[in-house]
Amino acid sequence: MTEARSIVDAAGIEALLEALRGQGYSLIGPTVRDEAIVYDEIATLNDLPRGVGDEQEGGHYRLTRRNDEALFGYVVGPQSWKKLLHPPMLRLWSARREGDELRVEAEPEAREKFAFIGARSCELHAIAIQDRVFLGGPYVDPHYRARREDVFVVAVNCGVAGGACFCVSMDTGPKATFGFDLALTEIVAGRSFLVEAGTEAGSALVETLPHRAATKAEIEEAEAILARTAENMGRSLEAGDVRQLLARNLEHPRWDEVASRCLACTNCTMVCPTCFCASVEDTSDLAGLESARSRRWDSCFTLDFSYMHGGSVRQSVKSRYRQWMTHKLSTWRDQFGTSGCVGCGRCIVWCPVGIDITEEARAIRESDGQKGAT
Ligand code: SF4
Ligand code: SF4
């Protein structure tokens, strides 16, 4: 694999999209819909959000007009790649009564090859986390595996930081360091992109594009852009000992305070790129001839999610918020060996009341009555 970094222009990016399509990939990338950046099918460069920026804060998201023609001048929107790898609703099997027989058919695994265009570093970390959840243990999810195995990733190193981003604290960005075939840094808005190959397939693809070797000055410019992004993170979270901090503060009064604001709306779990919880539901037609079982995203914020025989284990909003946050930042480490949070900031931005996981962790830290305990 070539380690050399190359420069491609807009025509080179267009050629990249065309080449991937020629290899049978469905191109999924950022587009503007309903006044937000969403991941959807794209055909050409013109489908990317040219000249678009964004404003992100607790409970606040607006697209803005940049004063340049940047193709990737915004940060992550409400959706993540999870919607393609772990779809919000997935039929698992269906059954049909035919005379005295019941024919049961398992849902076939998807065979579509995706190319993810514009995945950010925090999102690559999130995909790696979901890989551990769905593929890492003894019970591999066949639907996730089928969707995941052929993905070609064109990452984009972040040239701006969002108001709610804290990937630097979580050591998950802003530069993509793994999990990509190609990584782009937009060094001249809309016109010039530094390209790094992360795999043999990526390297071979670059060779087919109109490109030239990057100069030392261009490489330094890309590094300077990333350094500026890292300096401008909107938020931070002291992550080093947060696992122990939360574990010893399960009865902290802050949980009551946050519960008084939390609407248990589930938004934070829907937008989170690592949340993976799902429920199964069965449906049947009125004639009793057909039925199906589907898996759909669920959330630890609903009363039903922890329903066992006789009732819900987590009756209060306090217990549900605490479950979510301690799982993300604390017990996820026990379960999967990493944090469950990659610092993308979506849960802060899309919370209708602006509850902020970094602020909640800080509040508990500032009145941690058991400092020094484990
Ligand atoms: S918990 Fe919030 S900041 Fe962390 S990965 Fe999920 S949505 Fe992003
Ligand atoms: S923390 Fe915010 S987004 Fe999450 S359930 Fe509560 S109100 Fe909804």
Side-chain angles (χ1 to χ4, degrees):
M1 189 174 69
T2 32
E3 291 298 324
R5 280 165 276 190
S6 311
I7 295 291
V8 297
D9 59 12
I13 301 288
E14 188 73 74
L16 168 65
L17 300 183
E18 208 173 307
L20 286 169
R21 229 186 1 262
Q23 291 181 18
Y25 288 101
S26 300
L27 308 184
I28 311 292
T31 60
V32 173
R33 197 176 69 220
D34 299 334
E35 299 177 40
I37 301 290
V38 298
Y39 294 139
D40 212 340
E41 279 194 34
I42 57 170
T44 73
L45 204 63
N46 292 333
D47 295 329
L48 295 174
R50 185 184 290 275
V52 174
D54 57 13
E55 276 174 17
Q56 303 206 19
E57 260 309 324
H60 175 90
Y61 179 94
R62 292 284 180 281
L63 293 187
T64 56
R65 191 75 222 160
R66 290 172 59 101
N67 58 9
D68 61 23
E69 295 294 297
L71 293 175
F72 301 102
Y74 40 84
V75 293
V76 293
Q79 298 182 341
S80 66
W81 307 99
K82 156 174 116 170
K83 76 167 195 173
L84 295 142
L85 300 176
H86 171 42
M89 178 72 100
L90 178 73
R91 192 161 66 178
L92 300 174
W93 54 256
S94 56
R96 181 173 177 77
R97 192 201 302 254
E98 288 177 1
D100 290 339
E101 284 193 22
L102 189 66
R103 296 179 75 88
V104 180
E105 280 181 22
E107 186 70 8
E109 288 141 26
R111 285 284 154 234
E112 196 170 0
K113 278 177 26 171
F114 294 119
F116 292 168
I117 312 297
R120 306 307 177 104
S121 175
C122 63
E123 301 188 297
L124 301 180
H125 282 265
I127 291 171
I129 286 172
Q130 290 218 322
D131 284 352
R132 274 190 288 280
V133 173
F134 289 110
L135 308 175
Y139 303 105
V140 167
D141 184 300
H143 295 284
Y144 184 92
R145 182 180 55 200
R147 289 165 170 270
R148 176 75 177 95
E149 60 192 0
D150 289 325
V151 172
F152 188 98
V153 176
V154 180
V156 166
N157 293 320
C158 292
V160 288
C165 291
F166 56 102
C167 64
V168 168
S169 314
M170 306 310 286
D171 203 16
T172 56
K175 180 173 171 28
T177 54
F178 72 96
F180 60 85
D181 295 283
L182 293 174
L184 309 176
T185 308
E186 189 166 18
I187 56 172
V188 182
R191 297 215 308 268
S192 186
F193 303 83
L194 184 86
V195 187
E196 286 170 75
T199 60
E200 292 287 354
S203 190
L205 192 52
V206 173
E207 293 306 316
T208 69
L209 308 177
H211 71 285
R212 62 172 173 79
T215 63
K216 187 163 171 283
E218 286 166 330
I219 293 170
E220 285 172 359
E221 173 58 15
E223 283 165 5
I225 289 169
L226 288 168
R228 277 200 297 278
T229 304
E231 276 166 22
N232 288 319
M233 286 287 117
R235 298 267 195 297
S236 66
L237 190 148
E238 211 175 314
D241 64 343
V242 71
R243 172 176 168 272
Q244 297 88 329
L245 174 76
L246 297 185
R248 67 176 177 258
N249 278 290
L250 294 178
E251 299 304 331
H252 195 284
R254 184 72 185 190
W255 302 117
D256 291 304
E257 199 279 333
V258 70
S260 71
R261 290 181 287 138
C262 176
L263 309 172
C265 69
T266 79
N267 267 18
C268 47
T269 51
M270 297 296 111
V271 295
C272 180
T274 68
C275 277
F276 56 85
C277 288
S279 293
V280 288
E281 59 186 28
D282 295 339
T283 50
S284 63
D285 68 349
L286 289 176
L289 294 174
E290 291 184 9
S291 62
R293 173 163 293 179
S294 301
R295 181 172 80 186
R296 68 168 169 79
W297 288 357
D298 207 339
S299 168
C300 51
F301 279 92
T302 70
L303 196 55
D304 277 355
F305 188 67
S306 68
Y307 190 97
M308 296 190 201
H309 58 88
S312 176
V313 171
R314 289 188 281 272
Q315 295 270 342
S316 65
V317 172
K318 169 186 170 179
S319 65
R320 283 177 252 153
Y321 185 87
R322 181 177 56 194
Q323 154 65 25
W324 176 74
M325 184 166 149
T326 54
H327 191 209
K328 284 283 145 195
L329 297 177
S330 185
T331 51
W332 202 293
R333 290 187 186 276
D334 305 326
Q335 199 177 359
F336 299 111
T338 65
S339 170
C341 172
V342 297
C344 72
R346 288 181 176 93
C347 56
I348 302 168
V349 172
W350 295 94
C351 173
V353 292
I355 290 172
D356 177 342
I357 189 171
T358 66
E359 190 185 318
E360 295 312 307
R362 189 169 300 116
I364 290 176
R365 185 177 295 285
E366 281 170 2
S367 49
D368 174 15
Q370 300 168 57
K371 278 185 188 139
T374 52

